[in-house]
Structures are given as C-alpha cells and as structure tokens.
Amino acid sequence: GRGEGGDAVPPAPTPPAAIDDAEWRRRLAAIPGLDLTRGLDLMRGKAAKFARLLEMFADGHADTPRRLDEWIAAGELSQALELAHALKGSAGSLGALQLSADADALQASIRRGEEPARVRQLADTVSAGLQAMIAGIRGLPAAPETPHPVSRQ
C-alpha cells in the first residue's frame, strides 16, 4: 500500500501574481459603481484585461475631481464641460453607468447655464463617485502585463 497518493507529482506552483478569472471577477465585483457584466461583455469576458483598462482609467482620471473643482470655482465652465464629456464617455464604456449618468447630468447643467451652486453640487456627486471607483481600482492586484511606473504622482 505504499505510494498511495505519496508518489503523486505535485502540481507546479503558480506564481503568486497569477489570479484566475473567477478571482479577478470577484475582485472586480467589489469596485463601487461598476456594472461588471457590461464591462466584461466589452472585453469578451477577459477579466484581467478589463482590470488593466480600469487601471488606465484610474490613472487617467486621478486628478479629475481636483480639476473639476478648480475650473468650476474659477468659472472655467467650458473646461469643466469638456472634462465631464470625456468622463461620461470613458466611464460609460467601462460599465460605470452611474458615474457616466452623473457626468452627463453635470454636462447638461453646465450647458443649460444653471446656477453655480447646482453645477458644484453635481460636480461633487461626480467626484465622489469617481473617487470611490478609483479607490476600488487601486485596491486591485496589479494586472498582468501592465508595466507600473515606480513613481505614481
């Protein structure tokens, strides 16, 4: 009876960085404001690839809340409008539907020339949703094939 199970070849160890698809999905599902089904559809179900796109989104929009705030305070509404428009598109394409809708509402408010207090309120909603989403994305493990710069501003 010696060798029952004892001689089995141990499976090759997976490098710690490798996360299987189900685990990626579980982590992605924890990101606030993200419609995972929609996002994954766009990526043909490739969760790790989707995670990489999200990281690019987070990097690209990290200073959006600050810029929105500064531009609205300075009355630079055309700049804020452009930023809201860009955010609406990129958030929508990733399945961040609420954020996209909030950015759309901000854009519409600026276009209608609504009072500054209303514009600021909508901008705050956009910024809060964006910051929560970025925080969730930053909590993801590093996605494969993404060379991360050492310094992150």
Side-chain angles (χ1 to χ4, degrees), residues 1-7:
R2 200 191 68 80
E4 273 180 55
D7 295 338

Short mmCIF file of all heavy atoms in Angstrom, two decimals, residues 1-7:
data_model
loop_
_atom_site.label_atom_id
_atom_site.label_comp_id
_atom_site.label_asym_id
_atom_site.label_seq_id
_atom_site.Cartn_x
_atom_site.Cartn_y
_atom_site.Cartn_z
N GLY A 1 0.78 -1.20 0.00
CA GLY A 1 0.00 0.00 0.00
C GLY A 1 0.82 1.26 0.00
O GLY A 1 0.24 2.32 0.10
N ARG A 2 2.22 1.13 -0.05
CA ARG A 2 2.99 2.38 -0.03
C ARG A 2 2.81 3.08 -1.37
O ARG A 2 2.67 2.43 -2.40
CB ARG A 2 4.47 2.06 0.18
CG ARG A 2 5.26 3.27 0.68
CD ARG A 2 6.77 3.01 0.61
NE ARG A 2 7.26 2.92 -0.79
CZ ARG A 2 7.51 3.99 -1.54
NH1 ARG A 2 7.32 5.20 -1.08
NH2 ARG A 2 7.95 3.84 -2.79
N GLY A 3 2.80 4.39 -1.38
CA GLY A 3 2.72 5.11 -2.63
C GLY A 3 1.32 5.52 -3.00
O GLY A 3 1.12 6.07 -4.06
N GLU A 4 0.35 5.24 -2.14
CA GLU A 4 -0.99 5.72 -2.46
C GLU A 4 -1.04 7.21 -2.17
O GLU A 4 -1.06 7.63 -1.02
CB GLU A 4 -2.04 4.99 -1.62
CG GLU A 4 -2.50 3.71 -2.27
CD GLU A 4 -3.54 3.00 -1.44
OE1 GLU A 4 -4.56 3.64 -1.13
OE2 GLU A 4 -3.33 1.84 -1.09
N GLY A 5 -1.01 7.98 -3.23
CA GLY A 5 -1.02 9.43 -3.05
C GLY A 5 0.37 9.97 -2.76
O GLY A 5 0.64 11.12 -3.03
N GLY A 6 1.28 9.14 -2.26
CA GLY A 6 2.59 9.64 -1.86
C GLY A 6 3.48 9.97 -3.04
O GLY A 6 4.30 10.87 -2.96
N ASP A 7 3.32 9.24 -4.13
CA ASP A 7 4.21 9.44 -5.28
C ASP A 7 3.63 10.42 -6.30
O ASP A 7 4.23 10.63 -7.34
CB ASP A 7 4.47 8.10 -5.98
CG ASP A 7 5.25 7.16 -5.06
OD1 ASP A 7 5.90 7.69 -4.13
OD2 ASP A 7 5.18 5.95 -5.27
#
